[in-house]
Amino acid sequence: MSDLVHLRGADVDVVVDVSTGLPTIVHWGLPLGDTVDLSAMSSAMNRTPVAGGMGEIAPISVVPMHADGFPGRPGLAGRRGGGRAWAPRFTPVRHDLDGHVLSVESHDPEAGLDLSTIISLDDVLTVTVMVTNVGSRRYSLDALTVTLPLPVEADELLTFDGRWAREMQPVRTSWPHGAVVSENRRGRTSHEHPPLVFAGRHGFGEWQGEVWGAHVAWSGNHTMLAERLADGRRYLQGGELLHPGEIVLEVGEFYRTPSLVAVYSDGGLTPATWGFHRSLRRSPTHPSSARPVLLNTWEAVYFRHDTDALCELADTAAEIGVERFVLDDGWFGSRRDDTSGLGDWWVSSEVYPDGLGPLIDHVTGLGMEFGIWVEPEMVNPDSDLFRAHPDWALTTDGYEPVLGRNQLVLDLANPAAFDHVLAALDALLRDHEISYVKWDMNRDHVQGSGSNGAAGTHDQTLALYALLDELRARHPSVEFESCASGGGRIDHEILQRTERVWTSDCNDALERQTIQRGASMLIPPEMTGAHIGPTRSHTTARVHTLAFRVATAMFCHVGIEWNVTRLDDTERAELAEAVALHKRFRPLLHSGDTVRFDTEPAYCAHGVYAADRSEGIVSFAQLTTAPSLTPPALRLPGLEPDRLYRIEHVRLPRERWGLAGSQPQWLTDGVELTGRQLAAHGIRPPVLHPESAVLFALTATT
Ligand code: GLA
């Protein structure tokens, strides 16, 4: 039946009904097979009106409409003068299928609005919608979000919360009925409300159960809703959260939603999240070169910049095997602490009397790349920039601005401010041999009005993207990192413009086990910044062995954030050994499939399998004391069932073992097991102390 369009992914099918006002996804889940008769679907599936209800059942279309009788949150909200056109009703105009991309046009001549929907299915299901004002008066848009229906069995939610230095914390909620809302008004993707939700059958795990996941790929404000309607239907909805009056469409103007990016698997969370990873890996901006091990100066020297000391740090870094040296905050303007200087992107002659040249030459002379920290969206009131252009700060006239870390947001939607920042950064990159930019953003963007007095977060977010796009176009060989006080800006849209995220300001390995596990549900390890920090963590004061810190950072884009000049020769050699170990496994770690395993809460187990399942590496960490002294066997699903795998302990410097008479034999001798055995009975991890980890490698021998 021509009203139903069938999109096929690798392990997922989507069927879209294009006869409804807006297209309606009538199936998103298991593949339906090659010989499916779609025309049978409607008669098999359709809901019939019921006593006490409306005469027609409003579909849960990608933009469900109040005027169709949809009882949940409408996908489109807005109005014209006097409150008119508040409840439009669309009819489909045309649709077009081009490969795996379906475009549908819908129209409401009464309201003077056109909606264009694009639905594509490859590694991920992606939906975007655009509304155009084709009427004769301005239209105020309050919300345009994308909605995906879910089956009733998806009755458990996995969402994430967090805070500074504790990002991506998983939260499981039973979802029998009603609505769960996650809204972010912080003007950046946020630590608190990552725009990511999974729904699945009750008790879904890493390798079991059907799982549906959705992510709003947007770096500003967002809203996500999961609702079970009283009639039993469920849906997920996500999009940009608009402040009052933020989007006003003049005649002929349009607004496009961020992409809602969605994944599905009938085999649990781990396979579902491969879709997110594969989609980022397919992006033209995804880095293809080996991820350079970096040293970041922040926790090594903070604001104590001194060329000689930094050169010494670079010498030691190079000796240890570091490949990129990143100069963090403190090199510019009057920036001797966090009270002043943001906005003045010229090299401080106070700390660098001969400029950055000598340090950069020293670093590159050692064979390392040079990277630099900037925070271009911000300004300190105590800065030359603010004194010259106080009106460039995003504030609201008549009100005292709220400061965060002594700073304000610059109005990048103001072309003069945009051009100024672009010129300053362009000159910085043009005049220095800089290969890498750590792009920071350390203040929530609140109370920010644009130059017209209306809320400015939407325009600011687009201006940020435009600024990054322009800089990347002018400096195509420079890589960028997205940092926002650590992991405050981790999303798939910023990752079209950055090769890495700074996942958290917390380098404590114990905290990082959970933070990185959460992040791995959205982004692949090569984009996930993870640093080996000092023995005593600067953000928690916990003390961890080098082995635990290395095992934790090892899987991601590795860095060191530690004053390594203070290490003695043995410690340097151990760190160099750790860096070499990472480099040995790096090709596998950054190309394979990330796998996570379900364990008791005292443990955290994850790894990477090569795409062809010829090898793998697994980490088993003990986070806290556990109910049993001997850890339960760890099952490793997802390998080739009939291949034989040799399992060998990967030794880490300064490993520490728990209180055991002896440890499992395989730890010293290795062992060979089939993929089927590894999934069925698994392997016994050693007895560990809390806050330690063991790594083991898997190599197929058949
Ligand atoms: C933020 C970042 C840190 C560091 C400091 C510098 O907190 O997350 O990594 O760059 O700013 O001020």
Side-chain angles (χ1 to χ4, degrees):
M1 189 169 145
S2 63
D3 286 344
L4 294 180
V5 175
H6 194 169
L7 301 172
R8 296 171 192 269
D11 298 304
V12 54
D13 277 13
V14 168
V15 179
V16 187
D17 184 348
V18 292
S19 70
T20 50
L22 273 303
T24 301
I25 292 173
V26 292
H27 173 75
W28 170 32
L30 281 171
L32 301 175
D34 295 337
T35 55
V36 60
D37 174 9
L38 289 184
S39 63
M41 273 185 80
S42 326
S43 90
M45 298 275 298
N46 272 1
R47 284 175 168 259
T48 46
V50 289
M54 301 290 286
E56 287 172 36
I57 309 285
I60 303 187
S61 71
V62 293
V63 188
M65 305 304 289
H66 173 77
D68 288 333
F70 176 67
R73 188 165 78 173
L76 174 68
R79 73 218 109 87
R80 296 189 187 275
R84 302 181 70 82
W86 67 279
R89 217 176 161 191
F90 289 83
T91 47
V93 179
R94 75 182 75 84
H95 71 271
D96 176 57
L97 182 63
D98 182 6
H100 59 266
V101 182
L102 171 67
S103 322
V104 185
E105 303 292 329
S106 312
H107 184 46
D108 177 354
E110 198 61 41
L113 297 172
D114 281 356
L115 281 183
S116 312
T117 306
I118 297 182
I119 302 174
S120 66
L121 181 66
D122 37 48
D123 297 319
V124 287
L125 168 67
T126 307
V127 185
T128 54
V129 185
M130 187 172 97
V131 58
T132 308
N133 179 5
V134 293
S136 53
R137 302 234 172 116
R138 74 162 50 131
Y139 175 77
S140 299
L141 178 71
D142 297 328
L144 179 60
T145 51
V146 171
T147 299
L148 302 174
L150 292 178
V152 72
E153 293 83 5
D155 60 353
E156 187 172 339
L157 293 173
L158 169 61
T159 54
F160 299 82
D161 65 19
R163 60 156 166 84
W164 173 74
R166 195 170 190 272
E167 294 82 347
M168 299 301 292
Q169 302 292 311
V171 181
R172 287 273 188 154
T173 333
S174 150
W175 179 29
H177 51 74
V180 178
V181 180
S182 166
E183 291 191 337
N184 169 46
R185 290 182 175 75
R186 292 173 184 267
R188 52 181 176 178
T189 320
S190 89
H191 302 80
E192 291 78 5
H193 308 288
L196 176 64
V197 59
F198 295 95
R201 283 176 186 266
H202 179 73
F204 70 90
E206 289 294 345
W207 294 92
Q208 65 179 36
E210 280 191 289
V211 180
W212 294 259
H215 164 58
V216 179
W218 184 246
S219 314
N221 293 327
H222 61 255
T223 174
M224 294 198 86
L225 170 78
E227 181 168 22
R228 180 185 174 166
L229 298 170
D231 63 18
R233 292 180 295 169
R234 296 181 190 274
Y235 67 94
L236 293 176
Q237 191 175 72
E240 183 179 9
L241 186 145
L242 298 173
H243 285 303
E246 185 158 19
I247 300 287
V248 174
L249 300 178
E250 300 297 342
V251 175
E253 288 186 341
F254 65 86
Y255 166 87
R256 196 192 308 273
T257 64
S259 295
L260 191 74
V261 187
V263 293
Y264 165 82
S265 172
D266 68 334
L269 202 49
T270 280
T273 55
W274 292 338
F276 285 138
H277 294 195
R278 288 174 185 161
S279 134
L280 284 174
R281 285 177 171 174
R282 224 178 350 97
S283 162
T285 51
H286 189 263
S288 50
S289 58
R291 302 296 67 221
V293 173
L294 61 82
L295 181 134
N296 179 290
T297 62
W298 182 239
E299 288 195 357
V301 301
Y302 291 103
F303 286 106
R304 296 183 301 275
H305 285 220
D306 168 81
T307 302
D308 291 343
L310 288 166
C311 286
E312 192 195 338
L313 188 59
D315 289 338
T316 314
E319 208 183 288
I320 287 166
V322 166
E323 298 158 310
R324 175 183 280 167
F325 184 89
V326 182
L327 185 67
D328 212 280
D329 196 357
W331 58 267
F332 53 92
S334 61
R335 187 78 170 170
R336 303 293 80 77
D337 57 32
D338 67 10
T339 60
S340 75
L342 280 181
D344 298 338
W345 301 113
W346 35 266
V347 180
S348 163
S349 54
E350 190 186 340
V351 274
Y352 294 98
D354 301 316
L356 285 178
L359 176 62
I360 296 179
D361 289 347
H362 190 82
V363 166
T364 53
L366 289 163
M368 295 185 289
E369 294 178 3
F370 185 82
I372 200 157
W373 180 97
V374 291
E375 196 180 353
E377 299 149 81
M378 296 290 160
V379 64
N380 283 125
D382 183 3
S383 66
D384 291 353
L385 182 66
F386 187 81
R387 282 183 281 274
H389 301 283
D391 54 316
W392 285 0
L394 269 170
T395 57
T396 300
D397 282 350
Y399 299 93
E400 191 60 29
V402 185
L403 291 172
R405 208 191 185 199
N406 314 301
Q407 64 200 53
L408 294 168
V409 185
L410 266 185
D411 182 6
L412 293 179
N414 174 337
F418 182 98
D419 290 346
H420 172 87
V421 176
L422 173 63
L425 297 179
D426 188 32
L428 178 71
L429 297 181
R430 193 188 55 226
D431 298 343
H432 299 91
E433 203 182 329
I434 292 173
S435 312
Y436 184 72
V437 172
K438 176 179 174 185
W439 186 293
D440 210 341
M441 198 280 201
N442 284 316
R443 175 197 189 271
D444 282 344
H445 171 188
V446 294
Q447 204 208 23
S449 303
S451 48
N452 62 359
T457 311
H458 172 80
D459 287 349
Q460 178 77 1
T461 310
L462 291 181
L464 161 71
Y465 293 154
L467 183 57
L468 274 161
D469 288 344
E470 183 57 31
L471 275 168
R472 291 181 68 96
R474 293 189 191 184
H475 304 277
S477 62
V478 176
E479 290 194 359
F480 288 79
E481 171 174 27
S482 167
C483 175
S485 311
R489 194 148 65 193
I490 303 177
D491 63 77
H492 277 215
E493 193 56 48
I494 200 74
L495 279 169
Q496 302 303 319
R497 297 161 178 87
T498 63
E499 283 78 4
R500 185 193 211 237
V501 298
W502 181 222
T503 321
S504 178
D505 274 352
C506 184
N507 289 319
D508 173 322
L510 178 63
E511 300 291 335
R512 277 286 187 145
Q513 286 279 337
T514 308
I515 294 169
Q516 289 166 200
R517 188 180 178 90
S520 79
M521 298 187 193
L522 185 63
I523 61 172
E526 67 274 15
M527 305 187 103
T528 307
H531 294 175
I532 301 166
T535 311
R536 179 182 289 275
S537 160
H538 287 197
T539 51
T540 65
R542 281 200 194 99
V543 172
H544 288 132
T545 59
L546 182 60
F548 188 44
R549 280 137 64 216
V550 171
T552 304
M554 166 92 180
F555 287 76
C556 301
H557 182 175
V558 168
I560 296 169
E561 194 169 336
W562 186 11
N563 192 343
V564 287
T565 59
R566 299 206 186 124
L567 306 189
D568 64 27
D569 289 349
T570 315
E571 289 170 318
R572 282 185 202 191
E574 286 166 347
L575 191 53
E577 195 188 314
V579 168
L581 188 70
H582 166 71
K583 288 180 184 170
R584 190 179 122 211
F585 284 100
R586 183 166 56 184
L588 163 67
L589 293 168
H590 293 171
S591 68
D593 291 331
T594 294
V595 289
R596 291 174 303 271
F597 306 106
D598 293 314
T599 61
E600 292 184 323
Y603 311 104
C604 180
H606 66 95
V608 174
Y609 293 163
D612 65 1
R613 300 296 184 264
S614 60
E615 54 175 338
I617 178 165
V618 170
S619 159
F620 177 83
Q622 173 119 17
L623 307 181
T624 62
T625 57
S628 53
L629 273 170
T630 309
L634 177 67
R635 295 208 228 172
L636 305 176
L639 292 160
E640 284 285 334
D642 296 322
R643 285 178 96 169
L644 199 57
Y645 290 92
R646 177 154 186 84
I647 300 164
E648 281 168 316
H649 172 215
V650 176
R651 276 172 219 292
L652 294 166
R654 304 238 172 179
E655 265 175 328
R656 193 179 61 170
W657 304 104
L659 303 175
S662 64
Q663 294 286 15
Q665 189 70 30
W666 69 264
L667 216 60
T668 39
D669 300 350
V671 66
E672 291 198 356
L673 296 167
T674 61
R676 200 180 300 280
Q677 282 180 287
L678 283 162
H681 58 68
I683 183 159
R684 174 86 46 205
V687 178
L688 296 173
H689 280 307
E691 302 177 23
S692 53
V694 62
L695 298 182
F696 50 96
L698 306 139
T699 315
T701 57
T702 57

